[in-house]
Amino acid sequence: AQKVTQAQTEISVVEKEDVTLDCVYETRDTTYYLFWYKQPPSGELVFLIRRNSFDEQNEISGRYSWNFQKSTSSFNFTITASQVVDSAVYFCALSGINNDMRFGAGTRLTVKP
Amino acid sequence: NAGVTQTPKFRILKIGQSMTLQCTQDMNHNYMYWYRQDPGMGLKLIYYSVGAGITDKGEVPNGYNVSRSTTEDFPLRLELAAPSQTSVYFCASSRGASGRRETQYFGPGTRLLVL
């Protein structure tokens, strides 16, 4: 069975701080995909990144970066120099060979001015 | 290009009533999905479709029905609403070239309250 765990339910930081959101996954598949989505207070889900299991290179996109480590089954997300607009719920998700997409419970990030 | 649209945005139902949540996408995506998001929780897949005329159950299909007569539309039907179906419902679509592991694009959601 596939499972995604986001142990941090809520995180609160002050603007300009760096923050890392943890994601640990479980799967028996050798081929799988990992995703991060953002859900701002308005409620919509915004795609951030998709990573396949064969690509362990870290990715950086502006203030966002992702660290994928198969050895620890983790796909952590770091926001550098956080801003108030980063306040949202962030979901990590996993899709395996059976194409069954599983979401974590989400981490609510609050960035205070 | 509106992406994925959902109607209504919000609805209150009485126990036992029926309703249809509408979902339309204009990206010519083959795959479409329905999820529910309970308060403080992640999303759970209700049903999905890999193309017109083809649907399949997800993780939590009980109490729901779907149909896919066109590529664009994927309505979700609640036949006998129950309080346990109070949730936010998201429709999503993906191109389908790589199956369900592709990036999914989500609609704005429908908030449903069953009293």
Side-chain angles (χ1 to χ4, degrees):
Chain A
Q2 300 188 138
K3 185 178 178 182
V4 176
T5 301
Q6 295 180 256
Q8 305 150 307
T9 306
E10 294 190 32
I11 300 176
S12 181
V13 299
V14 177
E15 206 169 20
K16 297 184 183 177
E17 284 186 25
D18 297 347
V19 58
T20 295
L21 310 182
D22 297 333
C23 173
V24 175
Y25 62 92
E26 296 176 28
T27 180
R28 294 180 181 176
D29 296 336
T30 55
T31 302
Y32 52 89
Y33 285 77
L34 294 162
F35 302 80
W36 275 96
Y37 283 87
K38 174 182 179 180
Q39 187 175 42
S42 52
E44 74 272 23
L45 280 151
V46 179
F47 164 75
L48 294 177
I49 190 171
R50 169 177 173 248
R51 171 71 71 207
N52 74 57
S53 54
F54 297 106
D55 183 0
E56 286 194 71
Q57 284 190 349
N58 291 336
E59 175 134 353
I60 297 175
S61 176
R63 296 184 297 106
Y64 295 171
S65 62
W66 290 268
N67 181 265
F68 175 31
Q69 292 194 345
K70 288 180 75 171
S71 60
T72 56
S73 297
S74 64
F75 187 43
N76 296 338
F77 173 31
T78 297
I79 302 174
T80 303
S82 60
Q83 300 176 0
V84 173
V85 293
D86 295 327
S87 296
V89 180
Y90 290 87
F91 291 98
C92 181
L94 165 70
S95 184
I97 199 165
N98 289 327
N99 296 321
D100 190 9
M101 185 86 123
R102 295 295 171 112
F103 283 78
T107 296
R108 181 178 300 277
L109 173 65
T110 301
V111 181
K112 300 178 182 178
Chain B
N1 194 339
V4 180
T5 57
Q6 292 181 238
T7 57
K9 290 184 179 179
F10 176 66
R11 182 77 182 268
I12 299 175
L13 279 183
K14 293 183 179 179
I15 294 172
Q17 284 187 323
S18 302
M19 79 163 293
T20 299
L21 282 67
Q22 301 292 344
C23 174
T24 300
Q25 54 92 8
D26 63 0
M27 297 175 282
N28 202 31
H29 283 172
N30 291 316
Y31 282 49
M32 296 186 74
Y33 317 79
W34 275 106
Y35 292 90
R36 59 176 288 171
Q37 183 183 24
D38 298 329
M41 304 292 289
L43 281 73
K44 293 189 175 180
L45 183 64
I46 304 171
Y47 271 97
Y48 69 99
S49 168
V50 302
I54 306 170
T55 62
D56 207 348
K57 297 178 181 179
E59 189 181 356
V60 289
N62 292 343
Y64 307 95
N65 280 300
V66 294
S67 60
R68 184 97 181 270
S69 56
T70 66
T71 300
E72 296 78 19
D73 301 307
F74 190 39
L76 177 71
R77 178 86 177 158
L78 283 71
E79 291 293 348
L80 292 170
S84 60
Q85 293 177 305
T86 293
S87 190
V88 179
Y89 291 84
F90 287 97
C91 179
S93 72
S94 64
R95 194 160 51 97
S98 303
R100 291 163 57 191
R101 291 172 292 180
E102 286 190 325
T103 302
Q104 297 180 16
Y105 296 91
F106 286 80
T110 293
R111 187 175 299 272
L112 178 65
L113 179 60
V114 182
L115 299 174

